[in-house]
Amino acid sequence: MADGTGAIAASIKDHVSEAEWQARVDLAALYRLVALHGWDDMIFTHISARIPGPEHHFLINPYGMFFGEMTASCLVKVDLEGNVIDKTPYFINPAGFTIHSAIHAAREDAQFVMHLHSDQGVAVAAHAEGLLPLSQHALIVTPQLAYHDYEGIALNLDERERLVSDLGDKRLMLLRNHGTLSTGRTAAECWLGMFFLERACAQQVMALSAGREHVLLAPEAAQAEVRSQTGMGLGMIAGLAWPGCLRQLDRESPGYAA
């Protein structure tokens, strides 16, 4: 069905804990929001959520489903070794497991991890100067932005250590020649970080379309001022924006909470 509700036979809500179900609903919402904004790459990127509890299990998308089809019940539960926990007709993409398991294992605060291949995100990730201080969106995310050099399709488990090291204590990342990445303590925080990063990348691509020579960089004093203004992070703002995002999904992409 167009709204994705036909992607599964029945809801599993009554078979999982309340905490896991909430994580599933939030994660499915993130997938739908990415699709709604046109940032998906068919079946080839991933968003994951850590399930509360000591087991270090996390949820990731079933390989082969489009983001606009994602529902809470179809998400696949795996451990940090990539083993599927519960019986499911779906399987996962090893490349997604490599990136997401590394961050979930290393960062307690990274409850949600989103990795995208948007055109504008890849374009800026391939730019030698990275994200430039061209816009307010860029100034907001730059203090939390890390970089990781491209090593090929993320199938090599040895890359996990280098990825985590490059991320450090930052919440956002440009994976060189590859795409964007956002983490968050909540789905809302993860989403808002990616929203600002993707908007900043799109604005940079547009600004540089006429060439680099006459592009105006934000003054150093203004950059410092924005850093001080956003020092407490985006958590509160994310919490204000998230209910509106869910209402938008209810209007334009219903069925994610099935």
Side-chain angles (χ1 to χ4, degrees):
M1 293 177 63
D3 67 0
T5 55
I8 55 170
S11 172
I12 65 168
K13 182 177 181 179
D14 295 336
H15 304 285
V16 299
S17 69
E18 184 176 342
E20 178 176 334
W21 182 251
Q22 187 59 57
R24 286 177 172 273
V25 171
D26 287 342
L27 182 56
L30 287 176
Y31 277 104
R32 296 292 189 97
L33 285 167
V34 169
L36 201 61
H37 283 73
W39 296 338
D40 49 341
D41 185 19
M42 203 159 66
I43 64 171
F44 299 112
T45 56
H46 313 277
I47 316 170
S48 61
R50 182 174 169 181
I51 300 171
E55 297 87 358
H56 290 267
H57 293 161
F58 65 96
L59 302 165
I60 200 164
N61 53 314
Y63 201 23
M65 286 185 63
F66 280 37
F67 283 20
E69 299 176 313
M70 217 62 68
T71 67
S73 294
C74 75
L75 295 162
V76 180
K77 181 162 60 175
V78 298
D79 63 19
L80 290 175
E81 303 304 319
N83 301 306
V84 176
I85 302 301
D86 295 330
K87 184 178 180 180
T88 174
Y90 306 111
F91 61 100
I92 67 169
N93 182 353
F97 163 74
T98 300
I99 292 173
H100 292 256
S101 63
I103 298 172
H104 283 297
R107 291 276 298 271
E108 242 353 273
D109 62 324
Q111 298 294 311
F112 290 82
V113 179
M114 178 187 297
H115 168 47
L116 304 180
H117 297 160
S118 72
D119 293 341
Q120 59 268 24
V122 174
V124 174
H127 195 281
E129 295 181 276
L131 186 66
L132 297 168
L134 297 176
S135 66
Q136 181 166 281
H137 284 73
L139 299 186
I140 289 171
V141 302
T142 296
Q144 285 296 315
L145 185 62
Y147 292 82
H148 175 65
D149 288 338
Y150 187 58
E151 300 187 22
I153 297 174
L155 296 173
N156 183 359
L157 295 181
D158 292 342
E159 186 178 355
R160 293 189 293 186
E161 183 177 347
R162 294 183 290 277
L163 177 71
V164 167
S165 176
D166 287 339
L167 182 61
D169 63 355
K170 303 294 181 65
R171 293 198 310 105
L172 303 169
M173 176 176 271
L174 281 176
L175 291 90
R176 292 294 195 175
N177 310 100
H178 189 175
T180 53
L181 185 141
S182 175
T183 71
R185 291 166 294 183
T186 64
E189 194 173 84
C190 184
W191 171 248
L192 195 64
M194 183 60 81
F195 179 83
F196 276 107
L197 178 56
E198 286 287 343
R199 289 293 297 274
C201 289
Q203 290 158 0
Q204 177 165 318
V205 170
M206 295 175 72
L208 296 182
S209 64
R212 178 73 168 79
E213 183 179 359
H214 299 295
V215 169
L216 180 65
L217 300 182
E220 289 288 345
Q223 295 184 42
E225 180 66 15
V226 174
R227 283 195 296 273
S228 68
Q229 291 170 332
T230 58
M232 296 183 66
L234 299 174
M236 184 186 74
I237 301 173
L240 290 173
W242 185 246
C245 293
L246 297 183
R247 291 193 299 271
Q248 183 181 27
L249 286 181
D250 290 338
R251 293 190 304 270
E252 301 181 37
S253 185
Y256 65 93

